[in-house]
Amino acid sequence: MNVTSATDKTSTESSASSSTKSTSTVDYNTFLQLLIAEMKNQDPTNPMDTSQYMSQFAQLSSVEQAMQTNSKLDALLSSSALSQADGLIGRTVSFTDTTGASVTGKIASVSINTDGAVATLENGTKVMVGPGLTLS
């Protein structure tokens, strides 16, 4: 029976290449590869309990479903933010800038960043959409 070592160069290289694809997470394929390697290299006189395998599969399935839910939620939030931004274009906004001056203008465009929505007025002034703005 051929048993490869945990420090075998080919298995280490394949693990390294799969870990560079997914930055600090174990994806479904990597998990299956580890599980198959574990099954191949277990002691035949004292095999692992099948309930442990099923528990590992259930945990992986749960994590994978949570990741899919998160990606769908991100898409939904992005869509909602774009719909809200579209509703701001053409409206008049009033706010107080950092110097204390009162600024009023019509919104020409809205961009969505990681920090939030930024409205650009017709005169080129940019303002973060959030508390302190008055829309009319």
Side-chain angles (χ1 to χ4, degrees):
M1 178 168 120
N2 185 11
V3 176
T4 59
S5 164
T7 58
D8 184 20
K9 187 173 182 165
T10 57
S11 65
T12 305
E13 287 173 356
S14 66
S15 297
S17 67
S18 65
S19 67
T20 55
K21 291 178 189 172
S22 61
T23 59
S24 63
T25 59
V26 177
D27 63 355
Y28 189 72
N29 290 332
T30 305
F31 175 79
L32 287 178
Q33 289 174 352
L34 289 171
L35 189 62
I36 290 170
E38 184 178 13
M39 291 173 82
K40 283 182 181 179
N41 296 320
Q42 70 179 327
D43 182 7
T45 61
N46 187 17
M48 180 186 263
D49 184 18
T50 56
S51 65
Q52 289 178 350
Y53 282 126
M54 295 311 292
S55 173
Q56 289 175 359
F57 276 126
Q59 288 173 353
L60 177 67
S61 176
S62 169
V63 169
E64 188 174 26
Q65 288 176 359
M67 289 176 12
Q68 289 176 359
T69 301
N70 285 344
S71 66
K72 289 179 182 179
L73 182 59
D74 286 343
L76 181 63
L77 289 173
S78 295
S79 175
S80 175
L82 289 172
S83 295
Q84 289 176 352
D86 183 48
L88 295 175
I89 296 173
R91 297 194 58 189
T92 302
V93 65
S94 301
F95 62 96
T96 305
D97 67 5
T98 56
T99 63
S102 180
V103 179
T104 301
K106 191 174 264 192
I107 298 175
S109 65
V110 179
S111 62
I112 307 290
N113 304 350
T114 55
D115 298 330
V118 178
T120 304
L121 305 182
E122 289 177 338
N123 65 3
T125 304
K126 294 186 182 229
V127 62
M128 287 290 295
V129 175
L133 296 181
T134 303
L135 294 169
S136 57

